[in-house]
């Protein structure tokens, strides 16, 4: 079972930046996807970005050009650099791991991910 621990959340003003980290442990396999999701109050969890261990990335349209997902494989850590933040980015952010083969249609489905972190809050004020 993979253990995931997020950090780096906080409160910023609109236009600011934050970098989230997700430290992973317990891996015993060579191919996986790591996803970032967010859930705002009263809304469903939505996919933000995902990265494969080979470096392939995918983003939600709402964050393209502002967010960047990256990974440090030796450190088993995935990052989400968030720039030009807006109030609508306010949410609890979660990282998740998937062993499935994900596609352009499935990468953003929470059901495709088998391990989740506890989440880190991001609050953006106007």
């Amino acid at each position: 079972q993979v253990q995931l621990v997020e950090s780096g959340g906080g409160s910023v003003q609109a236009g600011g930046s934050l970098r989230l980290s997700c430290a992973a442990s317990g891996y015993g396999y060579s191919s996986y996807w790591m996803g970032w999701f967010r859930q705002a109050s009263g809304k469903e969890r939505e996919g933000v970005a995902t990265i494969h261990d080979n470096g392939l990335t995918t983003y939600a349209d709402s964050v393209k050009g502002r967010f960047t997902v990256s990974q440090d494989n030796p450190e088993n850590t995935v990052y989400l650099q968030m720039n030009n933040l807006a109030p609508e980015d306010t949410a609890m952010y979660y990282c998740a791991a998937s062993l499935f083969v994900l596609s352009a249609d499935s990468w953003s489905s929470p059901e495709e991910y088998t391990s989740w972190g506890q989440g880190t809050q991001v609050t953006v004020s106007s």
Side-chain angles (χ1 to χ4, degrees):
Q1 184 73 10
V2 178
Q3 291 82 44
L4 304 173
V5 179
E6 304 98 333
S7 61
S11 297
V12 296
Q13 290 191 331
S17 298
L18 284 172
R19 188 176 82 155
L20 307 183
S21 300
C22 174
S25 61
Y27 279 106
Y29 33 82
S30 60
S31 181
Y32 58 88
W33 291 85
M34 293 292 295
W36 283 99
F37 287 76
R38 65 186 181 187
Q39 187 165 19
S41 180
K43 295 187 177 181
E44 294 187 352
R45 193 167 296 190
E46 64 172 349
V48 174
T50 192
I51 185 167
H52 191 263
D53 63 298
N54 65 10
L56 180 67
T57 60
T58 307
Y59 297 91
D61 288 343
S62 60
V63 306
K64 280 181 181 176
R66 300 188 299 125
F67 290 12
T68 302
V69 60
S70 61
Q71 61 189 357
D72 183 340
N73 285 343
E75 296 296 325
N76 289 331
T77 301
V78 176
Y79 303 97
L80 184 68
Q81 177 67 44
M82 306 184 295
N83 297 329
N84 194 22
L85 284 161
E88 52 265 36
D89 295 316
T90 295
M92 184 72 79
Y93 283 70
Y94 300 88
C95 72
S98 175
L99 301 179
F100 300 130
V101 177
L102 301 182
S103 68
D105 293 328
S106 66
W107 74 267
S108 59
S109 296
E111 295 77 15
E112 299 292 332
Y113 294 78
T114 52
S115 299
W116 291 83
Q118 82 288 351
T120 186
Q121 178 68 37
V122 172
T123 302
V124 185
S125 58
S126 57

